[in-house]
Amino acid sequence: MSEPTRSPRRGMCAAVLSLEAITLGLTTPVMISVAGVDTTTALWVGLGLTVACLLLAGMLRKEWAYSLGWVIQGAAIGLGFVIPLMFVLGGIFALLWGSAYFLGIKIERERAEAYAAFDAAQESGQESGQESGQSQD
């Protein structure tokens, strides 16, 4: 069996986190200029979440990283208390994250079932080939 090592869930979730990193990075100047948040606080929150998204996108090989992805989604929605538009944008990214996560799991499960069925068919074909080869002797 030559099962590919690329996870569709990991790829889709990493893409969502990468795009979300841009959005969260752009919240920094908005927090400073529009919401009146202290510059240091805005930098730590906005750029901290940006870096967290980018680092997490690279850590999605581990199952625990997906749990942290859900935490990031909650933090993005929570920014709505500072920038009300983030309730909407955070919600959109949470929906994208959830869609990528659950669709990725479904694809991985169906792929594993297809490979298992293919392997079973190959093994039964080899066994019947060996049986017919033995009867010809």
Side-chain angles (χ1 to χ4, degrees), residues 72-128:
I72 296 255
Q73 303 316 309
I77 293 170
L79 269 177
F81 291 108
V82 180
I83 306 166
L85 183 59
M86 282 307 294
F87 283 127
V88 174
L89 292 175
I92 290 170
F93 276 107
L95 286 172
L96 289 171
W97 173 263
S99 298
Y101 180 80
F102 291 115
L103 182 61
I105 287 175
K106 181 180 178 186
I107 293 170
E108 288 172 354
R109 182 179 60 244
E110 290 177 358
R111 180 186 285 177
E113 290 170 358
Y115 278 113
F118 178 76
D119 286 344
Q122 291 286 50
E123 288 176 12
S124 68
Q126 289 175 354
E127 289 175 6
S128 65

Side-chain angles (χ1 to χ4, degrees), residues 15-61:
V16 170
L17 285 172
S18 299
L19 292 171
E20 189 170 14
I22 296 168
T23 302
L24 291 172
L26 291 172
T27 63
T28 305
V30 174
M31 283 190 278
I32 295 168
S33 62
V34 176
V37 175
D38 177 57
T39 303
T40 306
T41 304
L43 287 170
W44 276 106
V45 172
L47 298 181
L49 285 171
T50 299
V51 170
C53 281
L54 294 174
L55 289 175
L56 194 58
M59 291 187 229
L60 290 176
R61 293 173 192 249

